[in-house]
Amino acid sequence: MTQDVKITTVNEIDLSNNLPFAVFGGMTVIESYDVFIKVAESFKQACEDLVIPFIFIASFDKANRSSVDSYRCPGLENGVELLSKIKTDFCLPIITDLHEASHVQY
């Protein structure tokens, strides 16, 4: 018999290898606020329609780009502000990546 091994909880969504899956979806990097909102809305609506827990993911800083000339980010403070707005406006749990220990304070 296998036991349910709890891996983690994001907001109130329990994640485990023995529980129904949750969708982590969003954007590789925040490019524009309009696109950001449309992506969040689309994922949230689709997951609500299918009754699937949803966690929004986006990066405020795309440090590992294929070219140094590629778009990198809206900036740390602006990016965190946009993530916070999506979290509040859409009532979504948010995850993002950190590149430096100093990012934790945000």
Side-chain angles (χ1 to χ4, degrees):
M1 177 191 320
T2 61
Q3 292 183 328
D4 185 36
V5 179
K6 185 175 172 184
I7 296 172
T8 192
T9 299
V10 176
N11 281 18
E12 296 180 10
I13 300 172
D14 289 331
L15 303 171
S16 171
N17 58 343
N18 292 337
L19 292 174
F21 73 94
V23 171
F24 287 73
M27 305 174 68
T28 304
V29 67
I30 301 167
E31 294 179 25
S32 76
Y33 186 67
D34 292 339
V35 172
F36 195 48
I37 287 176
K38 288 178 185 175
V39 170
E41 278 180 324
S42 297
F43 268 103
K44 181 176 181 173
Q45 188 61 58
C47 288
E48 283 178 353
D49 291 349
L50 297 168
V51 192
I52 299 170
F54 171 57
I55 300 161
F56 189 76
I57 182 170
S59 181
F60 60 85
D61 184 5
K62 186 66 175 163
N64 56 340
R65 306 170 323 256
S66 57
S67 168
V68 295
D69 296 326
S70 296
Y71 174 76
R72 182 166 175 171
C73 67
L76 176 62
E77 290 182 21
N78 191 30
V80 170
E81 183 179 314
L82 291 172
L83 287 168
S84 180
K85 185 164 177 51
I86 289 293
K87 178 179 181 171
T88 302
D89 291 354
F90 292 94
C91 298
L92 289 172
I94 304 287
I95 62 170
T96 191
D97 50 343
L98 304 174
H99 300 282
E100 299 176 19
S102 64
H103 293 168
V104 174
Q105 69 184 345
Y106 289 90

